[in-house]
């Protein structure tokens, strides 16, 4: 096996663990991949590993460790003129800024993601940009403005059958419902999410805090019967 193939294999293994939210083994493989890619001058791999290590650190709620990886990835993407990696790096920086309690700065990054996404041609970049923008607007107290963005994200995840990210979008749409005074919708959606083992899988710490707050405020109650009903319930928010 050639040197590049070996480094690519390390990266793939780390990425596989990251996608399963297995932080410790992901970091172990990715740290090794980064060291070897940097030593061999595989710049494209260095960029990809930095980006993924930023995601892994964020999943571990280590925002201090995540930031330099994501900033390095963004700088390298800009230098290389790689719009796809720029979009992914800005997306993850946006999520990081939400975790740091900086929604206005996060909003700026997600707007940039939405500007880049059509040319990149990856549908879920648009989904992530819409979702992040909606969450940022919620944090800024602009609840009604957030609804179309969150519903747009949910529509994309539904179309591409990304169940994990539908959980995320429904958490924030339930939050929006509660803020708009629609407790019954919020309660039924949260009831469904509470009973789903996949709810916490795709949530960063700031998303989990929102969900935990909703559970505490709403308590136990009747749950929506499946995701079709949950999507119908939150769609009603658009006409309020």
């Amino acid at each position: 096996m050639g040197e590049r193939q070996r480094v690519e294999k390390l990266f793939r293994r780390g990425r596989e663990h990251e996608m399963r939210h297995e932080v410790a083994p992901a970091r172990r493989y990715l740290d090794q991949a980064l060291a070897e890619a940097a030593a061999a001058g595989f710049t494209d791999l260095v960029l990809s590993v930095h980006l993924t290590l930023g995601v892994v650190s964020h999943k571990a709620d280590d925002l201090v460790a995540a930031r330099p990886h994501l900033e390095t990835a963004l700088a390298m993407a800009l230098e290389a003129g790689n719009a796809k990696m720029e979009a992914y790096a800005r997306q993850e920086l946006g999520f990081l800024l939400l975790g740091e309690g900086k929604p206005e700065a996060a909003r700026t990054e997600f707007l940039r993601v939405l500007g880049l996404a059509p040319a990149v041609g990856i549908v879920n970049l648009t989904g992530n940009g819409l979702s992040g923008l909606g969450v940022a607007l919620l944090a800024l107290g602009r609840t009604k403005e957030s609804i179309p963005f969150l519903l747009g994200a949910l529509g994309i995840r539904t179309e591409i059958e990304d169940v994990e990210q539908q959980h995320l979008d429904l958490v924030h749409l339930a939050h929006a419902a509660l803020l708009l005074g629609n407790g019954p919708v919020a309660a039924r959606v949260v009831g469904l999410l509470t009973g789903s083992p996949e709810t916490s899988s795709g949530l960063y710490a700031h998303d989990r805090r929102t969900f935990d707050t909703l559970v505490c405020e709403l308590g136990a109650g009747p749950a929506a019967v499946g995701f079709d009903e949950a999507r119908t319930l939150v769609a009603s928010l658009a006409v309020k």
Side-chain angles (χ1 to χ4, degrees), residues 166-177:
Q166 288 182 61
H167 286 71
L168 169 69
D169 299 326
L170 286 169
V171 165
H172 294 293
L173 282 160
H175 184 205

Side-chain angles (χ1 to χ4, degrees), residues 78-152:
L78 289 169
E79 184 176 355
N82 189 328
K84 173 183 171 182
M85 296 303 285
E86 178 190 350
Y88 276 122
R90 290 193 183 282
Q91 164 192 294
E92 293 302 326
L93 276 169
F95 293 139
L96 180 74
L97 288 161
L98 289 175
E100 292 177 336
K102 301 172 182 174
E104 187 57 57
R107 176 176 169 274
T108 298
E109 293 299 341
F110 291 123
L111 286 170
R112 289 170 175 163
V113 171
L114 291 173
L116 290 164
V120 171
I122 298 175
V123 173
N124 210 26
L125 271 172
T126 300
N128 289 336
L130 290 170
S131 178
L133 186 54
V135 177
L137 289 169
L138 278 176
L140 290 166
R142 296 161 62 178
T143 304
K144 288 185 179 180
E145 289 178 65
S146 76
I147 300 298
F149 296 105
L150 293 170
L151 287 174

Side-chain angles (χ1 to χ4, degrees), residues 13 23 48 55 74 123 126 135 142-143 146 176 185 204 226:
R13 286 185 173 177
V23 170
S48 295
V55 173
L74 177 58
V123 173
T126 300
V135 177
R142 296 161 62 178
T143 304
S146 76
V185 165
Y204 283 130

Side-chain angles (χ1 to χ4, degrees), residues 4-239:
R4 183 177 176 92
Q5 288 176 305
R6 189 165 53 81
V7 177
E8 287 175 341
K9 185 175 181 180
L10 287 169
F11 173 64
R12 284 197 304 273
R13 286 185 173 177
R15 178 78 173 120
E16 287 165 2
H17 283 293
E18 179 270 315
M19 292 178 71
R20 294 195 295 267
H21 313 295
E22 298 163 353
V23 170
R27 184 176 282 137
R28 184 171 65 251
Y29 281 112
L30 292 168
D31 282 342
Q32 186 178 352
L34 181 59
E36 295 192 20
F42 301 144
T43 308
D44 58 328
L45 285 175
V46 171
L47 193 170
S48 295
V49 178
H50 271 301
L51 179 58
T52 310
L53 276 168
V55 173
V56 168
S57 296
H58 196 173
K59 287 186 174 182
D61 200 23
D62 189 347
L63 304 188
V64 173
R67 176 171 281 283
H69 286 300
L70 298 178
E71 289 178 340
T72 299
L74 177 58
M76 293 183 72
L78 289 169
E79 184 176 355
N82 189 328
K84 173 183 171 182
M85 296 303 285
E86 178 190 350
Y88 276 122
R90 290 193 183 282
Q91 164 192 294
E92 293 302 326
L93 276 169
F95 293 139
L96 180 74
L97 288 161
L98 289 175
E100 292 177 336
K102 301 172 182 174
E104 187 57 57
R107 176 176 169 274
T108 298
E109 293 299 341
F110 291 123
L111 286 170
R112 289 170 175 163
V113 171
L114 291 173
L116 290 164
V120 171
I122 298 175
V123 173
N124 210 26
L125 271 172
T126 300
N128 289 336
L130 290 170
S131 178
L133 186 54
V135 177
L137 289 169
L138 278 176
L140 290 166
R142 296 161 62 178
T143 304
K144 288 185 179 180
E145 289 178 65
S146 76
I147 300 298
F149 296 105
L150 293 170
L151 287 174
L154 181 62
I156 288 173
R157 307 349 173 130
T158 303
E159 182 180 345
I160 65 175
E161 300 182 340
D162 187 337
V163 176
E164 183 177 283
Q165 292 301 300
Q166 288 182 61
H167 286 71
L168 169 69
D169 299 326
L170 286 169
V171 165
H172 294 293
L173 282 160
H175 184 205
L178 186 62
L179 292 173
L180 291 172
N182 199 331
V185 165
R188 290 184 68 82
V189 172
V190 169
L192 172 68
L193 296 173
T194 301
S196 174
E198 294 186 71
T199 295
S200 64
S201 297
L203 305 186
Y204 283 130
H206 65 273
D207 304 310
R208 287 195 296 273
R209 287 191 289 270
T210 296
F211 181 63
D212 290 344
T213 299
L214 289 170
V215 172
C216 288
E217 290 192 23
L218 295 167
V225 183
F227 278 79
D228 285 344
E229 182 182 351
R231 287 191 291 264
T232 300
L233 287 167
V234 296
S236 69
L237 301 175
V239 299

